[in-house]
Structures are given as structure tokens and as C-alpha cells.
Amino acid sequence: MRKLVFATNNNHKLKELMQILPSEFELLSLNDIGCTDEIPETGPTLEVNAAQKSFYIWDKYGINCFADDTGLEIEALGNEPGVFSARYAGEEKSTVANKQKVLENMKNESNRKARFRCVISLIIDGKEKQFEGIVDGQILTENHGEAGFGYDPIFIPDGFSLSFAEMSADDKNKISHRGRAVMKLVEYLKDIK
Ligand code: IMP
């Protein structure tokens, strides 16, 4: 089995990824490789942040790895919160406060168009490749559902009547930004293995 580190501390994402990645890959977490560092993500774009995280692991541990960075881009807010999605309402990175800020900023807005955009930076033997996944949808006016994480309860993907937080993990994975980026990653990995 090929070892591949997913440079994230987010257990929701790890679980999602384990369901998607083919069995010939052994997915390792930061915990598994003994990395407890606060990996910097200080870039101005999702692309720069994803690469910053993956190169941090490659440079320090020399293990093939990938990192992702996701932003919720809301049209009426000039694509905010975007790269600031995790800390939209402040450095304490509160999911509740972040969602509340979005709902507040969108209170009188009729254009509810939004998208999640995910960028994955993969490093194999020191060479980087990026994959992008996008899901278009709408921002709801209040929370719907308990599943998932982050902005899931206030995002409804186009063509569906359930929010991301009302879907099963399986259903979300099939259409989500990260699911789509990961599918591209997996196709690529199959080709080079
Ligand atoms: P990250 O950079 O990928 O960790 O994501 C940045 C922010 O976007 C975090 O605050 C997450 O809550 C949010 N986010 C990322 N992926 C998702 C998702 O699949 N659903 C809802 N929110 C997400």
C-alpha cells in the first residue's frame, strides 16, 4: 500500500476521505506521523494556502502528501468569506459565529448564489499538482440539518432540496467541492501508480 499523508487536523475531512480514497492507498493523518505543528496558512488564495500546507509536510517529513483548502464564495458578498472562511467572524474560528455572520450579512439579500471551492495540492516525490472542485448552490436564510460541519447547514447545492447538513456523508461526498477535487486526485493517482 502506498502511504499518503492528508495534511489536516479536521477529523470530519479525514473520515470523508477514507470513504473515497481507493484501498491501495494508506491514508495517514498528521497525528499518525507525529506532526502537532500549527501549519501556517497565510496565503491570499486557496491555491497558495493549499501548497503552503503540503510543502510544509514534504519539506519537514519527505512523505508524499496532499493538503486542501476550501472557501465558501458568496456572489453577493464579493466572493466572501472565500479564503477567510475558517476565521470569517474572528480568529477563534467559531463555526456558529461564522454561520451567523453570513446569515446576518445576507439578511436582506435576494441573490443567494454561492459556491464551495476546494483546491487540493498533491506532492509526489517533491513535485506539486493541484486539483479544483466546485459545487454551486444557494445560501439558506437559517440553519437546516445537523450533519456535516462548517457552513453545511446554511448551504443547499443546486438541484437538491436538502442542505449539506441534511444529507448523508455519502450523498454529500458524491457532489461536494472536496468530493469532486478528490475524484480528480484519485484519477491522477490511479494513472501514476
Ligand atoms: P478549510 O480551509 O478547508 O479547512 O476550510 C475553511 C472553512 O470552510 C472552514 O471553516 C470550514 O468550516 C469551511 N468548510 C470547508 N469545507 C466545508 C464543507 O464541506 N462544508 C461546510 N463548510 C466547509
Side-chain angles (χ1 to χ4, degrees), residues 8 10 13 16 41 46 49 53 68-72 82-87 93 95 98 116 118 148-153 155 164 172 176-178:
T8 183
N10 184 322
K13 287 190 192 174
E16 280 185 4
E41 35 183 325
L46 301 176
N49 271 353
K53 289 186 270 189
D68 73 326
D69 204 40
T70 292
L72 175 63
V83 76
F84 302 109
S85 293
R87 52 206 144 108
K93 297 184 175 176
T95 297
N98 287 341
F116 277 112
C118 174
F149 68 102
Y151 298 94
D152 279 348
F155 181 85
F164 265 173
K172 180 187 165 190
S176 80
H177 46 300
R178 198 167 26 262

Side-chain angles (χ1 to χ4, degrees), residues 12-188:
H12 290 281
K13 287 190 192 174
L14 268 173
K15 260 200 240 160
E16 280 185 4
L17 253 295
M18 279 173 184
Q19 292 167 353
I20 302 173
L21 219 61
S23 54
E24 58 261 32
F25 291 97
E26 183 188 356
L27 192 65
L28 301 178
S29 66
L30 290 175
N31 205 27
D32 292 332
I33 60 165
C35 177
T36 53
D37 305 357
E38 187 74 37
I39 302 176
E41 35 183 325
T42 52
T45 63
L46 301 176
E47 283 79 2
V48 173
N49 271 353
Q52 199 178 14
K53 289 186 270 189
S54 59
F55 274 109
Y56 184 95
I57 297 301
W58 173 258
D59 290 342
K60 186 161 177 182
Y61 299 91
I63 308 177
N64 291 335
C65 61
F66 64 95
D68 73 326
D69 204 40
T70 292
L72 175 63
E73 300 177 339
I74 302 174
E75 190 173 276
L77 303 181
N79 281 341
E80 274 194 15
V83 76
F84 302 109
S85 293
R87 52 206 144 108
Y88 192 40
E91 284 306 320
E92 62 281 5
K93 297 184 175 176
S94 157
T95 297
V96 173
N98 287 341
K99 282 187 300 181
Q100 203 46 47
K101 184 169 176 182
V102 166
L103 291 178
E104 191 59 32
N105 286 347
M106 291 292 286
K107 207 157 71 184
N108 298 313
E109 187 53 64
S110 55
N111 174 10
R112 321 265 331 160
K113 272 193 202 162
R115 64 181 194 170
F116 277 112
R117 195 165 71 86
C118 174
V119 174
I120 291 178
S121 164
L122 168 74
I123 301 181
I124 301 283
D125 300 334
K127 289 201 190 75
E128 195 218 7
K129 185 149 178 69
Q130 294 202 342
F131 307 89
E132 184 190 56
I134 290 173
V135 58
D136 290 301
Q138 306 275 324
I139 298 297
L140 294 162
T141 53
E142 56 186 20
N143 286 289
H144 287 262
E146 306 283 333
F149 68 102
Y151 298 94
D152 279 348
I154 60 167
F155 181 85
I156 186 161
D158 286 347
F160 292 81
S161 53
L162 299 176
S163 80
F164 265 173
E166 293 172 312
M167 292 182 173
S168 68
D170 259 7
D171 286 346
K172 180 187 165 190
N173 281 341
K174 280 182 202 141
I175 58 160
S176 80
H177 46 300
R178 198 167 26 262
R180 287 175 173 161
V182 168
M183 288 308 162
K184 292 182 187 172
L185 167 77
V186 167
E187 286 309 307
Y188 180 79

